[in-house]
Amino acid sequence: MPFDLSLYLITDAELCAEFGLEKTVEAAIQGGITMVQLRDKYASDEQMIAQAKRLKAMLSGSGVPLIINDRLNVALASQADGLHVGQSDTAVQEARNTLGQHAIIGLSINTPAQLQEAPVELLNYVGLGPIFATGSKQDHAQPIGFDGLAQLANACQLPSVAIGGLKAEHMAQVKAAGANGIAVISAICGQPDPRLAAQAFFHDRL
């Protein structure tokens, strides 16, 4: 499935609770998001599979791929479009072997050393960051800032998406650093109007 990293929404069930996760995603699609990653550290596999199936059905025909965070069995059972994994010796290889050649597989990268060691031949994109410290992930790696983003993006032969505390006003800096897109959680999840929140990233198009 072709994919566009321009505006990559990562879900947070707690932040989306008031509006509802599916309604948040639906509104954000109307606002222009180009990818969705289902991320939930607390849900059981069964809950996540059910949620992923609902999202997959909702995204049908939109051209927006559904990526699962970390849980290979959930991606497989829900027939999601791909998987995003963190640093692990076997995660990327296992994901590619299990999900096949057509799956979209992404890997989180924080340092030049990690980028150098990444199995790029098995990957479709990389997530670079965190750019800033963020409340959505307490154990995140050292923030790299826009200088670090530029260093990694320019050394990377794969499409890249920047993540970590980013908001609509950072879109130009992310693009200037050489990344293909911007990944966000709280800039859309938990906002009063997720559609408008997504649209704000594309104010240069208006």
Side-chain angles (χ1 to χ4, degrees), residues 13-189:
E14 286 183 31
L15 286 177
C16 291
E18 188 176 339
F19 204 67
L21 193 143
E22 284 151 64
K23 281 190 174 178
T24 299
V25 172
E26 188 174 25
I29 289 169
Q30 293 166 3
I33 62 164
T34 55
M35 288 181 80
V36 178
Q37 182 187 129
L38 178 60
R39 177 174 176 261
D40 194 327
K41 298 294 182 187
Y42 305 108
S44 68
D45 285 353
E46 290 73 20
Q47 289 170 322
M48 249 188 116
I49 290 166
Q51 179 70 78
K53 285 180 174 178
R54 291 194 298 271
L55 285 177
K56 180 76 176 150
M58 196 181 78
L59 292 167
S60 178
S62 70
V64 175
L66 175 65
I67 310 296
I68 304 298
N69 179 269
D70 263 349
R71 300 200 214 182
L72 178 56
N73 56 333
V74 172
L76 187 64
S78 64
Q79 297 185 310
D81 300 298
L83 186 75
H84 187 92
V85 297
Q87 287 293 316
S88 157
D89 292 338
T90 59
V92 174
Q93 183 73 64
E94 190 181 1
R96 182 58 73 201
N97 290 346
T98 305
L99 299 176
Q101 290 307 306
H102 299 296
I104 302 166
I105 296 178
L107 173 69
S108 295
I109 300 280
N110 177 247
T111 66
Q114 289 176 356
L115 183 58
Q116 206 166 1
E117 292 163 13
V120 291
E121 70 283 355
L122 300 174
L123 292 165
N124 299 98
Y125 75 91
V126 291
L128 304 178
I131 311 306
F132 304 120
T134 168
S136 66
K137 198 171 184 183
Q138 304 302 326
D139 58 344
H140 59 67
Q142 185 69 26
I144 62 173
F146 290 112
D147 289 343
L149 174 63
Q151 181 187 6
L152 291 173
N154 290 316
C156 184
Q157 54 188 288
L158 290 167
S160 61
V161 62
I163 185 169
L166 294 166
K167 297 180 169 55
E169 61 260 33
H170 299 125
M171 192 68 147
Q173 287 165 286
V174 166
K175 294 286 188 180
N180 297 86
I182 189 167
V184 299
I185 302 175
S186 61
I188 293 178
C189 288

